[in-house]
Amino acid sequence: MPQYPGSPYPGAPGTGGPGPQYPGAAAGSPAPPQFPGSPGGDPRFAGAQPQPRPFVPRQAVAPDDLDYRHEGSRVHLAGHQRGADATAIGQLATQIPGALVSLAVVSALALGIFGTVVGWLVIVAWVASGALVFHRPTELRFARHVLKLRTPLAEERARLEPIWREVTARAGIEANTYELMVENSDDLNAVAVAGHVVGVTTYSLNRIPSSNLAAVLAHELGHHTGGHAWAGLLGYWYSLPGRLAWAFTRGMARIALAVAGVFSAAATGLLILFMGMFVVAGFLVAWYITIPLMVAPYLLAWAGRLGELRADQQSAALGFGREMAEVLHHFQAEEDAAKAAAVSQGKKLHEPSGLARLLSSHPDNYTRLRALEPYLQLPR
């Protein structure tokens, strides 16, 4: 899942693209592919620093190898076009404590600044503003100005739309339900945003085979049909006032400690003691809010990892299992190359701690490939 700007919660709105190669892969698993510009697997690149991928016209390096099963044929639309699976519902439930804190912050400010009548109008407007997550023009503005996505160029649309139509036809989804957008980036990635936006990087669009691009797009479609994208953004929006208030409080505490430190160590100690007592008192009085707030980042990260596995399996269910595995192998190859480059430069590698892994919104590449194993078996 994508990390939204300023979000302290792993797995806040949206969704990321696909990662790895692992020991003991199922028989028939695809070998790690060599994408144009990928250093993975080539001994000439051992210990080399990966270089930025230059833009290359797609005709030179991106073969159109997709099996267009539905080209020119009638598409049978599914009766259920989108919904909210267990992952999306879990995301929303986990964000409830943060939303309540935000409601308290908005209420206090609105009533304190504007008075009763206008203040309540402000509160109601904030509560109703969540509907903008499903308002297409607002989504597009958010995608353009916050996520830096843009409308595809004519040649980009000519490549992207046929692949997208094939992906949505296999899923029984109306292709025009979603807005295709592009991010200028040298990373292989894509993103599902709010209710109607699917973004893809220029590298993904121009440099990988059509079948692999279809797998990536099917992954993002899985986030949309499962409700992961809109649930994540809705939770992010309603918890934003609370996070801003917490950031402001921490900033003021740092300033107060800096000022106290100018006078004496004793003043600093007393201030720290006072702050500690205030935090403990707040924790004990409102434990039913504070405990869920402390646990929320871990639950959101877990929901994010589950959502990625579900989206991978959605891609595989549409017939892109092997292609999805190839993309994951590509991620692992780049990760291994980056580690080799760091070692060659004398840098010490630090494996993520157990706590860091619990806060990761994406499963590691090995886990994702293992989950795809049932889709990689060769037909008997």
Side-chain angles (χ1 to χ4, degrees), residues 72-141:
S73 63
R74 184 185 177 120
V75 175
H76 298 280
L77 299 179
H80 185 69
Q81 294 281 304
R82 66 167 70 213
D85 61 18
T87 300
I89 294 172
Q91 281 182 290
L92 291 173
T94 304
Q95 296 277 20
I96 289 175
L100 292 176
V101 171
S102 292
L103 178 60
V105 170
V106 171
S107 300
L109 291 175
L111 296 175
I113 295 174
F114 301 106
T116 305
V117 177
V118 177
W120 276 108
L121 289 176
V122 171
I123 295 169
V124 171
W126 176 76
V127 171
S129 65
L132 293 175
V133 168
F134 306 98
H135 183 239
R136 203 163 185 141
T138 302
E139 290 181 56
L140 295 177
R141 290 189 187 94

Side-chain angles (χ1 to χ4, degrees), residues 66-312:
L66 179 60
D67 176 18
Y68 292 95
R69 303 174 186 173
H70 297 82
E71 190 172 22
S73 63
R74 184 185 177 120
V75 175
H76 298 280
L77 299 179
H80 185 69
Q81 294 281 304
R82 66 167 70 213
D85 61 18
T87 300
I89 294 172
Q91 281 182 290
L92 291 173
T94 304
Q95 296 277 20
I96 289 175
L100 292 176
V101 171
S102 292
L103 178 60
V105 170
V106 171
S107 300
L109 291 175
L111 296 175
I113 295 174
F114 301 106
T116 305
V117 177
V118 177
W120 276 108
L121 289 176
V122 171
I123 295 169
V124 171
W126 176 76
V127 171
S129 65
L132 293 175
V133 168
F134 306 98
H135 183 239
R136 203 163 185 141
T138 302
E139 290 181 56
L140 295 177
R141 290 189 187 94
F142 177 83
R144 288 192 189 100
H145 300 297
V146 178
L147 301 182
K148 306 304 180 185
L149 302 179
R150 59 172 174 79
T151 302
L153 302 174
E155 60 271 23
E156 292 171 333
R157 191 175 293 279
R159 172 167 168 77
L160 188 56
E161 286 189 343
I163 300 173
W164 177 245
R165 284 197 299 268
E166 176 62 27
V167 169
T168 53
R170 292 191 188 188
I173 301 297
E174 175 58 55
N176 293 333
T177 299
Y178 300 97
E179 195 79 29
L180 298 174
M181 303 188 77
V182 175
E183 176 190 1
N184 294 324
S185 172
D186 288 332
D187 292 327
L188 196 170
N189 202 10
V191 62
V193 181
H196 303 94
V197 176
V198 174
V200 63
T201 62
T202 47
Y203 178 83
S204 303
L205 181 60
N206 297 304
R207 298 295 302 278
I208 68 174
S210 296
S211 60
N212 293 100
L213 178 56
V216 172
L217 292 173
H219 173 98
E220 302 309 326
L221 180 63
H223 281 307
H224 271 305
T225 57
H228 310 160
W230 67 259
L233 183 53
L234 198 64
Y236 168 82
W237 173 250
Y238 279 130
S239 61
L240 183 59
R243 291 199 301 270
L244 292 176
W246 175 241
F248 176 79
T249 302
R250 286 187 301 169
M252 294 303 295
R254 291 192 186 99
I255 293 173
L257 289 172
V259 172
V262 173
F263 293 99
S264 69
T268 303
L270 287 174
L271 184 58
I272 292 174
L273 180 62
F274 173 78
M275 289 180 177
M277 292 175 61
F278 181 80
V279 170
V280 170
F283 183 85
L284 294 176
V285 170
W287 59 268
Y288 47 87
I289 293 291
T290 53
I291 291 178
L293 283 175
M294 293 176 64
V295 176
Y298 301 94
L299 293 178
L300 283 171
W302 175 76
R305 294 193 295 272
L306 183 60
E308 292 303 316
L309 295 177
R310 286 180 182 272
D312 286 346

